[in-house]
Amino acid sequence: VQLQASGGGLVQAGGSLRLSCAASGRTFSNSFMGWFRQAPGKEREFVALISRTGGYTYYTESVKGRFTISGDNAKNTVYLQMNNLKPEDTAVYYCAAAPVSSSDPALYGIWGQGTQVTVSS
């Protein structure tokens, strides 16, 4: 399985971006897809996750009401719609796959390459 993240860029505070994570290969054993982010000098941080059925989502508190995770199984793609972006959202964003629902990055065995999101004030 390979994950390809895209959609990052430079945006002003208050703006929006939509990240995409396209999966290729056999994904049936990975029931959850997550988004994480890592800012310079900081540890990788959980952002959101979604079950393969799309019926379960979970967000870190700081993005609730601003970010929405969704999936399109026909396209094997997971999205992260980010609205009302803040400078503190600046980071490299990674998508990842796991067999269980968790905010712990150690439980995610497959990672995409990351896409940079920069929010200017």
Side-chain angles (χ1 to χ4, degrees), residues 16-51:
S16 299
L17 283 173
R18 188 177 81 157
L19 306 184
S20 298
C21 176
S24 60
R26 302 174 69 184
T27 60
F28 65 87
S29 61
N30 293 285
S31 300
F32 295 87
M33 295 292 294
W35 284 98
F36 292 79
R37 64 187 180 187
Q38 189 165 19
K42 294 188 177 181
E43 293 187 352
R44 193 163 296 189
E45 173 190 28
F46 169 79
V47 176
L49 67 81
I50 188 169
S51 62

Side-chain angles (χ1 to χ4, degrees), residues 6-7 11 14-21 35 37 47-48 50 59 63-71 78-85 89 93 117:
S6 61
V11 64
S16 299
L17 283 173
R18 188 177 81 157
L19 306 184
S20 298
C21 176
W35 284 98
R37 64 187 180 187
V47 176
I50 188 169
Y59 301 87
V63 307
K64 284 181 181 178
R66 300 189 298 123
F67 291 12
T68 302
I69 189 170
S70 62
V78 174
Y79 305 97
L80 185 68
Q81 177 67 43
M82 306 186 294
N83 298 328
N84 191 21
L85 283 161
D89 294 318
Y93 283 69
V117 171

